[in-house]
Amino acid sequence: MKRIVIFASGSGSNAENIIRHFQAGQLARVEMVLSNKPDARVLVRARDLGTSAMYFNRTALNEGKVALLLEALNPDLIVLAGFLWKIPEELTRKFKGKIINIHPALLPEYGGKGMYGMHVHQAAIKDRKEKSGITIHYVNEHYDEGAIIFQASTPVTEADTPETLATKIHELEHRHFPIVIETLLNEQ
Ligand code: GAR
């Protein structure tokens, strides 16, 4: 059984979708959900599904405690699902090729520091883009710059608001993210 660890900062609809997907099969399990926000809904969602969930602070991330925990968990894949802090270089080096992120835009557009969640959708609407989408990519030491694994797009219409675009993007994420994770685990 392969082992997945999820990092998330917010609501956790992707985390929940991934946990459920793998609970229904034999390939992998989400061993733990880790969050940098003590009151993040993702922690509740994970525990409700019987998955361990833990909060950590910036010191734990940057001074090695999270690294020690990850070594003990020994994950085959670390999945960032709406995680908003930068991953320290110690971790990108130690888990090279094993950390992936989902970004709610067609990178390299609308990536980098400060570009997350609704900010991305507001920017795409403001620029009157004809399409937006999702990017799943490897995580390296730079925000949103690791090698792209998968992209899917959706039209942006005149009628779209940041909220309706966010809904379309979440649908794409929920449809594709577990399958991409499954494919990567099968290829290992
Ligand atoms: C997702 O849309 C994800 O792509 C985005 O945060 C949202 C989390 O939703 N991630 C980023 O913006 C990372 N830069 P969720 O908490 O419902 O899974």
Side-chain angles (χ1 to χ4, degrees), residues 10-14 81-82 84 102-104 115-117 170 173:
S11 159
S13 72
N14 277 286
L84 302 183
I102 192 157
H103 188 78
M115 272 295 168
Y116 60 87
H170 264 118
E173 293 183 331

Side-chain angles (χ1 to χ4, degrees), residues 24-44:
Q26 294 303 314
L27 174 68
R29 282 290 173 273
V30 176
E31 294 295 325
M32 193 177 275
V33 170
L34 294 168
S35 182
N36 60 321
K37 290 268 164 26
D39 54 354
R41 187 164 161 219
V42 68
L43 294 169
V44 178

Side-chain angles (χ1 to χ4, degrees), residues 77 96-101 136-140 142 144-149 184 187:
L77 204 61
K96 196 169 164 39
K98 287 192 171 182
I99 312 180
I100 65 169
N101 178 45
I136 298 167
H137 65 94
Y138 287 107
V139 173
N140 64 14
H142 306 290
D144 300 329
E145 285 184 20
I148 290 173
I149 301 162
L184 290 173
E187 283 170 356

Side-chain angles (χ1 to χ4, degrees), residues 2-176:
K2 302 265 184 176
R3 306 162 65 81
I4 300 167
V5 171
I6 295 180
F7 281 65
S9 301
S11 159
S13 72
N14 277 286
E16 175 170 346
N17 184 50
I18 294 162
I19 292 169
R20 286 186 188 279
H21 178 88
F22 288 99
Q23 280 180 344
Q26 294 303 314
L27 174 68
R29 282 290 173 273
V30 176
E31 294 295 325
M32 193 177 275
V33 170
L34 294 168
S35 182
N36 60 321
K37 290 268 164 26
D39 54 354
R41 187 164 161 219
V42 68
L43 294 169
V44 178
R45 288 196 201 240
R47 289 180 190 132
D48 282 351
L49 290 166
T51 301
S52 304
M54 211 181 96
Y55 157 74
F56 62 89
N57 63 20
R58 205 179 276 275
T59 313
L61 180 65
N62 291 336
E63 294 182 8
K65 285 215 178 104
V66 172
L68 281 178
L69 176 62
L70 286 174
E71 271 166 33
L73 289 169
N74 191 24
D76 296 287
L77 204 61
I78 298 168
V79 174
L80 312 188
F83 182 65
L84 302 183
W85 283 356
K86 195 160 186 295
I87 297 292
E89 255 187 81
E90 181 198 1
L91 289 182
T92 55
R93 245 183 289 118
K94 202 170 274 176
F95 295 94
K96 196 169 164 39
K98 287 192 171 182
I99 312 180
I100 65 169
N101 178 45
I102 192 157
H103 188 78
L106 296 169
L107 289 175
E109 283 192 334
Y110 304 119
K113 200 169 161 53
M115 272 295 168
Y116 60 87
M118 291 306 281
H119 298 287
V120 177
H121 308 314
Q122 280 156 2
I125 297 278
K126 185 165 163 278
D127 292 349
R128 296 175 158 272
K129 299 304 285 189
E130 283 179 6
K131 61 177 185 171
S132 187
I134 63 169
T135 303
I136 298 167
H137 65 94
Y138 287 107
V139 173
N140 64 14
E141 59 280 19
H142 306 290
Y143 259 121
D144 300 329
E145 285 184 20
I148 290 173
I149 301 162
F150 176 89
Q151 290 186 307
S153 66
T154 183
V156 182
T157 68
E158 291 278 314
D160 271 319
T161 63
E163 289 73 24
T164 61
L165 182 54
T167 302
K168 287 183 185 176
I169 296 288
H170 264 118
E171 278 167 13
L172 278 184
E173 293 183 331
H174 295 165
R175 182 160 1 122
H176 293 291

